[in-house]
């Protein structure tokens, strides 16, 4: 009787595991993830080479800055051609997950060319925002070609996983950070909720994309901390202060990006005039600053910050240059400028208080990243993959503090907040709505 009861319990247990569904999931996404990883990895790697070429070219041919108005007109024409005179950028990708809106394939080559032209003209922009759009567009296209959500073995939500895989693949191909890219792609849509069904597909496609990028010798920037001080409460106190101040910097950057776009649109309804005005303002700013430090992506500023060679106002200058360029319609990513802003602020903080430059630069960079993206888990992994493991204890502290104190601000207006940052309750709203409720209460 006992043996019979044990056999019954085991059979019931095996039924609950639902092996058939799990096996189908592994086989299906094992195949689809490889396809997405290879295709998007190749696209991301070629995009990385294109941006590196554009950066090297403007640094050795300074006159390209004065071609920025012409490049701006071409960018506006490209978006007019695809019927997107007021493009939503990464918000379009985020909306596609929550609303099921289709991301057109033509978005990928448009943002690719527009970002290349922005960098060629030395515009202050990054590359990862474009990568998310390229990856999301290609992931959506591949998913629909593979008939995800249209067959008996595929759920309708599978197309969302394909989009996340595309985003993670392109991001990791450019930065060489497969874990943080995967988690970021799962975490960015709804703060407090992660789509865990996408974990294995995103990881697999990201690692495949990194491998493809390495085969293509794609340049990858990393800033590994060579040494970190021993854990002590004095330094912990300074890191908490750094994170709190960086949260304010992150809010400032987010507001500057949104408001600059609104101001341009308010005074210049025509997108062609708007982007030319932005180009002229950017050129004037560059001439007045007497430096090219704030043109382009600005990774060199991170290197200087880690060695202690940073100006106190560098983070403010990078915010200004980026808002002027991207608010007016130039394309690229916001995350590289975010890294630069956080890094230079962290370097200035270290310089002022006499603290380790490498650690403060890395912590400032990560604290600013979480402040504008609201993705704490991805931010900690970004610290590990981007700056090395020596500062992990400090990364966790600055991420937690900056995440809470940055409030409901961020770069992506379409991002949803499923749960409150400060209370254990469901809010289920977007950042703008939450801020308005708090202002009225």
């Amino acid at each position: 009787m006992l043996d019979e009861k044990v056999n019954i319990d085991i059979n019931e247990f095996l039924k609950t595991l639902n092996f058939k569904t799990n096996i189908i999931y592994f086989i299906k996404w094992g195949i689809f993830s490889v396809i997405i990883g290879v295709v998007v990895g190749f696209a991301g790697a070629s995009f990385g080479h294109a941006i590196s070429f554009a950066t090297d070219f403007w640094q050795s041919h300074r006159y390209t800055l004065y071609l920025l108005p012409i490049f701006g007109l071409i960018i506006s024409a490209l978006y007019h051609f695809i019927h997107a005179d007021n493009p939503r950028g990464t918000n379009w990708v985020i909306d596609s997950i929550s609303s099921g809106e289709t991301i057109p394939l033509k978005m990928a080559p448009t943002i690719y060319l527009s970002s290349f032209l922005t960098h060629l003209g030395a515009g202050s922009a990054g590359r990862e925002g474009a990568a998310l759009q390229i990856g999301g567009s290609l992931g959506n296209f591949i998913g629909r070609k593979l008939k995800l959500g249209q067959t008996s073995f595929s759920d309708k939500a599978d197309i969302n996983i394909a989009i996340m895989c595309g985003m993670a693949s392109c991001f990791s191909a450019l930065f060489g950070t497969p874990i943080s890219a995967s988690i970021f792609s799962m975490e960015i849509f709804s703060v407090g909720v992660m789509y865990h069904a996408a974990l294995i597909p995103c990881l697999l496609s990201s690692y495949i994309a990194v491998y493809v990028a390495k085969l293509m010798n794609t340049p990858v920037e990393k800033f590994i901390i060579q040494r970190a001080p021993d854990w002590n409460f004095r330094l912990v106190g300074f890191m908490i202060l750094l994170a709190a101040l960086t949260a304010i910097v992150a809010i400032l950057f987010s507001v500057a990006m949104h408001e600059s776009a609104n101001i341009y649109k308010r005074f210049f309804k025509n997108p062609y005039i708007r982007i030319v005005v932005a180009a002229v303002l950017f050129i004037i700013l560059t001439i007045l600053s007497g430096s090219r430090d704030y043109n382009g992506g600005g990774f060199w500023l991170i290197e200087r910050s880690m060695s202690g060679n940073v100006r106190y106002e560098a983070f403010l200058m990078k915010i200004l240059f980026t808002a002027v360029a991207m608010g007016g319609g130039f394309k690229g990513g916001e995350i590289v400028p975010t890294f630069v802003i956080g890094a230079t602020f962290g370097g200035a903080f270290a310089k002022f208080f006499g603290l380790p430059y490498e650690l403060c630069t890395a912590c400032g960079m990560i604290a600013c990243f979480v402040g504008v993206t609201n993705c704490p888990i991805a931010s900690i992994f970004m610290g590990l993959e981007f700056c090395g493991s020596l500062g992990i204890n400090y990364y966790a502290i600055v991420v937690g503090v900056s995440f809470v104190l940055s409030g409901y601000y961020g770069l992506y207006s379409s991002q949803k907040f499923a749960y409150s940052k400060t209370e254990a309750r469901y809010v289920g709203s977007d950042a703008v709505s939450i801020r308005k409720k708090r202002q009225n209460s």
Side-chain angles (χ1 to χ4, degrees), residues 234-411:
R234 175 181 175 273
L235 193 53
V236 169
F238 274 116
M239 290 302 104
I240 292 174
L241 177 60
L242 171 60
L245 295 175
T246 307
I248 298 173
V249 173
I251 292 172
L252 176 62
F253 181 45
S254 298
V255 171
M257 291 296 288
H258 292 304
E259 289 303 314
S260 63
N262 292 335
I263 291 171
Y264 275 119
K265 290 176 182 177
R266 189 182 309 139
F267 288 99
F268 308 102
K269 306 295 184 184
N270 188 303
Y272 293 96
I273 297 175
R274 189 188 309 151
I275 204 165
V276 169
V277 170
V280 172
L281 287 175
F282 190 86
I283 292 169
I284 293 172
L285 275 176
T286 301
I287 294 171
L288 291 177
S289 70
S291 170
R292 291 296 187 93
D293 286 349
Y294 311 109
N295 291 172
F299 274 135
W300 46 88
L301 289 173
I302 300 178
E303 294 174 355
R304 293 182 195 173
S305 295
M306 294 192 108
S307 62
N309 183 22
V310 60
R311 298 178 65 90
Y312 285 112
E313 74 278 7
F315 74 97
L316 288 172
M317 295 295 286
K318 191 61 179 176
I319 290 175
L320 177 61
F321 273 71
T322 306
V324 166
M326 297 191 67
F330 286 97
K331 304 302 175 184
E334 306 90 353
I335 300 304
V336 170
T338 296
F339 285 155
V340 174
I341 291 163
T344 50
F345 182 76
F349 183 88
K351 188 175 181 180
F352 186 82
F353 287 105
L355 299 172
Y357 287 108
E358 285 190 344
L359 180 64
C360 289
T361 296
C363 286
M365 189 162 37
I366 298 160
C368 200
F369 178 73
V370 73
V372 302
T373 63
N374 298 298
C375 297
I377 301 175
S379 299
I380 294 174
F381 277 103
M382 180 63 76
L384 288 170
E385 292 186 301
F386 207 57
C387 301
S389 62
L390 291 181
I392 177 60
N393 293 323
Y394 297 106
Y395 302 160
I397 290 173
V398 298
V399 164
V401 173
S402 182
F403 174 69
V404 173
L405 296 184
S406 60
Y408 295 96
Y409 289 87
L411 288 173

Side-chain angles (χ1 to χ4, degrees), residues 32 36 96 99-105 136-151 156 158-160 162-163:
F32 294 166
I36 294 172
S96 71
S99 66
E101 184 179 1
T102 301
I103 309 172
L105 179 62
S137 177
L138 289 174
N140 178 79
F141 174 76
I142 295 169
R144 295 191 182 281
K145 285 296 180 182
L146 294 173
K147 300 192 181 300
L148 293 182
Q150 303 174 36
T151 58
K156 287 184 178 180
D158 282 349
I159 194 68
N160 292 342
I163 293 172

